[in-house]
Amino acid sequence: MQSTLAIIKPEILKKGLSGKIISIIEEHGFRISAMKMVHLTKDQAGRFYHVHRGKFFFEELTQYMSSGPIIVMVLSGDNVIERWRSLMGATDPSKAKEGTIRKLYGTDIQRNAVHGSDAPETAAFEISFFFSKMEIENGS
Ligand code: ATP
Ligand code: MG
């Protein structure tokens, strides 16, 4: 069993579309093991996206991710990291496949609706960034 961190990004909450994304997640049979809404500070967004520090889009990315509340979730299941990234679609919504969340709800490469961890190590860091053990369903 694997877990991943999913985020519904600020633009989606501003548009009142978070329920649509949650429905898609449920319709695809993902198990939501934890979920909450948070509003990051710019500094916290920078710590979450530390791997992108120094890149040209870091400043804008952290500004955007702290511009309003987000919904963070732990999704669990076999191969969930890859399955969730595949449902999200390509980083740039204009290049994302039909039927993916970024194709349906993404605006541009920055405001691309959702986030997903890209490997087990990043998933472990990202889940513990937002959730304590007590907040995550234990699967029993
Ligand atoms: P995420 O990490 O959010 O799941 P990803 O793994 O598809 O997305 P990354 O390369 O990790 O993409 O980039 C992290 C985030 O930084 C992207 O989701 C996007 O919001 C932003 N980003 C990435 N590349 C660019 C870019 N060229 N210009 C502006 N923003 C970008
Ligand atoms: Mg990434």
Side-chain angles (χ1 to χ4, degrees):
M1 232 263 297
Q2 199 176 57
S3 294
T4 194
L5 186 88
I7 302 181
I8 304 178
K9 296 189 177 184
E11 200 62 17
I12 298 294
L13 277 78
K14 285 199 179 108
K15 291 180 182 165
L17 295 172
S18 45
K20 304 264 186 212
I21 310 280
I22 295 167
S23 287
I24 294 175
I25 291 171
E26 291 181 329
E27 282 159 12
H28 282 77
F30 287 93
R31 184 176 189 124
I32 302 174
S33 301
M35 175 159 68
K36 64 184 169 188
M37 190 170 86
V38 294
H39 189 162
L40 295 174
T41 63
K42 193 158 174 281
D43 180 65
Q44 288 167 333
R47 285 197 282 120
F48 178 76
Y49 277 118
H50 70 96
V51 293
H52 296 305
R53 200 175 288 276
K55 292 186 186 161
F56 74 92
F57 59 80
F58 181 77
E59 182 64 24
E60 256 193 68
L61 174 62
T62 53
Q63 187 80 48
Y64 165 58
M65 287 302 286
S66 59
S67 67
I70 57 175
I71 291 174
V72 289
M73 280 177 257
V74 177
L75 306 180
S76 306
D78 289 339
N79 202 23
V80 70
I81 294 175
E82 195 186 311
R83 286 196 297 120
W84 170 237
R85 286 185 72 85
S86 150
L87 181 58
M88 289 199 303
T91 308
D92 182 347
S94 70
K95 296 186 180 128
K97 286 189 189 143
E98 290 299 328
T100 62
I101 293 174
R102 283 169 167 170
K103 181 74 178 184
L104 287 165
Y105 293 108
T107 304
D108 54 39
I109 194 164
Q110 176 176 268
R111 290 169 296 170
N112 57 5
V114 284
H115 162 87
S117 312
D118 59 12
E121 307 74 52
T122 44
F125 163 76
E126 293 179 357
I127 290 168
S128 66
F129 186 90
F130 286 107
F131 294 99
S132 71
K133 263 196 167 151
M134 201 177 71
E135 293 175 296
I136 305 171
E137 184 206 25
N138 63 19
S140 59

